[in-house]
Amino acid sequence: MALRHIVTVPEPVLRRKAKPVTKFDKKLQTLIDDMIETMRDAPGVGLAAPQVNISEQLIVVEYSKEEEEDGIEEKPEKPKKLYVMINPEITKTSEEKVIGVEGCLSIPGIQGEVERFEAIQVKGLNRFGKPQKLKVGGWMARIFQHEIDHLNGVLFTDLAVRLWKFQNEEEHEL
Ligand code: NI
């Protein structure tokens, strides 16, 4: 495994629509492992392939209790969960939307408030090309929406209702 370089704005790959993954070969497995390592090293709670300069529909998400945001209800002893989602598609959204604070590893030093669906259903493929479906809510739903936006060339700064500069490196990075 190896760390990949995280590209930042205004790198054009961040604005491109990513291509669906069609080959589940060794090269893909290496990319996935590298993305997981890069996300953990950053540290971040999610990473999309375009952020490592690969314009393919692949995201990794890892959430843990410590990264929980105030006001988001999660079960107290929720273990850290790692998701690899390929060619993800949001198939269902809650009626309820919530505003929360986001940052992005590709947009250093900026945070903003973004409105997201409170819960979503996502379908896609796992790292071996097998179909998988997920129902996620709260902070996890936010991370998935943020990462899936990356695959469409959309950045949280496009959607934010308010943006500001920050220096605190301990905040959530997606
Ligand atoms: Ni991001």
Side-chain angles (χ1 to χ4, degrees):
M1 293 205 289
L3 292 178
R4 303 263 177 145
H5 174 66
I6 297 176
V7 300
T8 54
V9 285
E11 196 66 47
V13 68
L14 294 169
R15 289 305 192 176
R16 232 174 272 152
K17 200 164 161 45
K19 290 202 177 85
V21 172
T22 52
K23 276 190 209 158
F24 293 82
D25 54 7
K26 207 178 158 215
K27 197 178 159 198
L28 179 74
Q29 303 309 318
T30 304
L31 171 62
I32 292 167
D33 289 336
D34 287 355
M35 280 177 61
I36 293 167
E37 196 181 346
T38 303
M39 170 180 65
R40 287 174 176 166
D41 179 74
V45 293
L47 194 67
Q51 294 183 275
V52 294
N53 211 12
I54 305 282
S55 195
E56 292 181 18
Q57 293 178 22
L58 160 63
I59 63 172
V60 295
V61 172
E62 191 170 53
Y63 170 86
S64 74
K65 180 73 172 66
E66 300 88 74
E67 279 136 4
E68 187 180 307
E69 206 173 28
D70 287 341
I72 298 203
E73 286 172 32
E74 292 288 344
K75 291 188 182 75
E77 265 104 45
K78 205 163 186 183
K80 202 170 223 189
K81 271 192 168 177
L82 173 68
Y83 295 97
V84 174
M85 189 62 108
I86 293 165
N87 304 343
E89 227 180 283
I90 295 173
T91 52
K92 214 172 175 185
T93 57
S94 59
E95 271 175 35
E96 197 194 340
K97 285 182 167 186
V98 283
I99 288 180
V101 176
E102 296 184 19
C104 180
L105 293 168
S106 295
I107 313 174
I110 303 282
Q111 280 189 335
E113 281 182 335
V114 184
E115 191 177 51
R116 301 284 190 188
F117 294 109
E118 201 279 325
I120 54 169
Q121 280 185 33
V122 187
K123 74 167 188 183
L125 305 170
N126 72 6
R127 62 186 300 161
F128 306 110
K130 200 176 154 233
Q132 62 180 359
K133 255 191 215 171
L134 287 176
K135 269 189 198 176
V136 286
W139 181 240
M140 189 67 102
R142 177 171 296 277
I143 301 169
F144 270 92
Q145 288 168 84
H146 178 115
E147 301 309 334
I148 291 169
D149 276 351
H150 271 301
L151 305 181
N152 292 307
V154 174
L155 301 172
F156 85 95
T157 46
D158 303 337
L159 311 171
V161 291
R162 200 160 68 88
L163 287 168
W164 61 89
K165 290 186 179 160
F166 80 107
Q167 276 94 38
N168 183 358
E169 287 171 19
E170 296 305 308
E171 292 296 336
H172 315 297
E173 298 292 336
L174 309 153

